[in-house]
Short mmCIF file of all heavy atoms in Angstrom, two decimals:
data_model
loop_
_atom_site.label_atom_id
_atom_site.label_comp_id
_atom_site.label_asym_id
_atom_site.label_seq_id
_atom_site.Cartn_x
_atom_site.Cartn_y
_atom_site.Cartn_z
N SER A 14 65.42 142.32 106.49
CA SER A 14 65.34 141.42 107.63
C SER A 14 64.55 140.18 107.24
O SER A 14 63.69 140.22 106.36
CB SER A 14 64.71 142.11 108.83
OG SER A 14 63.38 142.44 108.54
N THR A 15 64.83 139.07 107.88
CA THR A 15 64.15 137.82 107.59
C THR A 15 62.89 137.73 108.43
O THR A 15 62.57 138.62 109.20
CB THR A 15 65.06 136.64 107.95
OG1 THR A 15 65.28 136.66 109.35
CG2 THR A 15 66.37 136.71 107.22
N GLY A 18 63.74 138.28 111.85
CA GLY A 18 64.10 139.63 112.22
C GLY A 18 65.58 139.85 112.45
O GLY A 18 65.96 140.81 113.08
N GLU A 19 66.42 138.97 111.93
CA GLU A 19 67.85 139.13 112.13
C GLU A 19 68.57 139.37 110.82
O GLU A 19 68.37 138.63 109.86
CB GLU A 19 68.45 137.89 112.78
CG GLU A 19 68.01 137.65 114.19
CD GLU A 19 68.71 136.44 114.79
OE1 GLU A 19 69.50 135.79 114.08
OE2 GLU A 19 68.44 136.16 115.95
N LEU A 25 84.53 145.12 106.08
CA LEU A 25 85.97 145.13 105.81
C LEU A 25 86.40 146.57 105.64
O LEU A 25 85.77 147.32 104.89
CB LEU A 25 86.29 144.35 104.53
CG LEU A 25 85.99 142.86 104.54
CD1 LEU A 25 86.33 142.27 103.18
CD2 LEU A 25 86.76 142.16 105.63
N GLY A 32 88.25 152.98 103.20
CA GLY A 32 87.01 152.61 102.53
C GLY A 32 86.42 151.36 103.18
O GLY A 32 87.13 150.57 103.80
N PHE A 37 76.38 141.33 104.29
CA PHE A 37 75.19 141.07 105.07
C PHE A 37 74.83 139.59 105.04
O PHE A 37 75.00 138.93 104.02
CB PHE A 37 74.00 141.87 104.52
CG PHE A 37 74.18 143.36 104.64
CD1 PHE A 37 74.72 144.09 103.60
CD2 PHE A 37 73.82 144.01 105.80
CE1 PHE A 37 74.87 145.46 103.70
CE2 PHE A 37 73.98 145.38 105.90
CZ PHE A 37 74.50 146.11 104.86
N THR A 40 73.13 135.33 109.88
CA THR A 40 73.81 134.92 111.11
C THR A 40 75.17 135.62 111.15
O THR A 40 75.73 135.96 110.11
CB THR A 40 74.04 133.39 111.15
OG1 THR A 40 74.84 133.01 110.03
CG2 THR A 40 72.73 132.62 111.15
N MET A 49 85.50 136.95 104.83
CA MET A 49 86.78 136.25 104.76
C MET A 49 86.97 135.57 103.40
O MET A 49 88.08 135.53 102.88
CB MET A 49 86.89 135.23 105.89
CG MET A 49 86.89 135.87 107.27
SD MET A 49 88.10 137.18 107.49
CE MET A 49 89.60 136.25 107.47
N ALA A 54 89.66 135.14 98.17
CA ALA A 54 89.53 135.07 96.72
C ALA A 54 90.31 136.17 96.01
O ALA A 54 90.84 135.96 94.93
CB ALA A 54 88.05 135.16 96.32
N ASN A 55 90.40 137.33 96.63
CA ASN A 55 91.08 138.47 96.00
C ASN A 55 92.48 138.71 96.56
O ASN A 55 93.12 139.68 96.18
CB ASN A 55 90.23 139.73 96.16
CG ASN A 55 88.95 139.61 95.38
OD1 ASN A 55 88.98 139.52 94.17
ND2 ASN A 55 87.83 139.59 96.08
N LEU A 57 93.62 139.72 99.50
CA LEU A 57 93.71 141.05 100.09
C LEU A 57 93.82 141.03 101.61
O LEU A 57 93.54 142.03 102.26
CB LEU A 57 92.45 141.86 99.71
CG LEU A 57 92.27 142.13 98.23
CD1 LEU A 57 90.90 142.73 97.97
CD2 LEU A 57 93.36 143.04 97.72
N ASP A 60 95.56 143.94 103.30
CA ASP A 60 95.08 145.29 102.99
C ASP A 60 93.84 145.71 103.78
O ASP A 60 93.48 146.87 103.79
CB ASP A 60 94.76 145.41 101.50
CG ASP A 60 95.99 145.22 100.64
OD1 ASP A 60 97.11 145.41 101.16
OD2 ASP A 60 95.83 144.88 99.46
N PRO A 66 80.99 141.16 113.35
CA PRO A 66 79.60 141.32 112.90
C PRO A 66 78.73 142.01 113.95
O PRO A 66 78.90 141.78 115.15
CB PRO A 66 79.13 139.88 112.68
CG PRO A 66 80.36 139.08 112.52
CD PRO A 66 81.41 139.76 113.34
N VAL A 69 71.93 144.36 112.54
CA VAL A 69 71.30 145.56 111.98
C VAL A 69 69.89 145.21 111.53
O VAL A 69 69.53 144.04 111.45
CB VAL A 69 72.11 146.13 110.80
CG1 VAL A 69 73.45 146.65 111.26
CG2 VAL A 69 72.31 145.09 109.72
N ALA A 75 60.76 150.51 117.68
CA ALA A 75 59.83 151.57 117.31
C ALA A 75 60.44 152.44 116.22
O ALA A 75 61.65 152.68 116.21
CB ALA A 75 59.47 152.41 118.52
#
Side-chain angles (χ1 to χ4, degrees):
S14 64
T15 64
E19 292 183 359
L25 295 178
F37 295 93
T40 60
M49 296 307 291
N55 293 297
L57 297 171
D60 297 338
V69 293

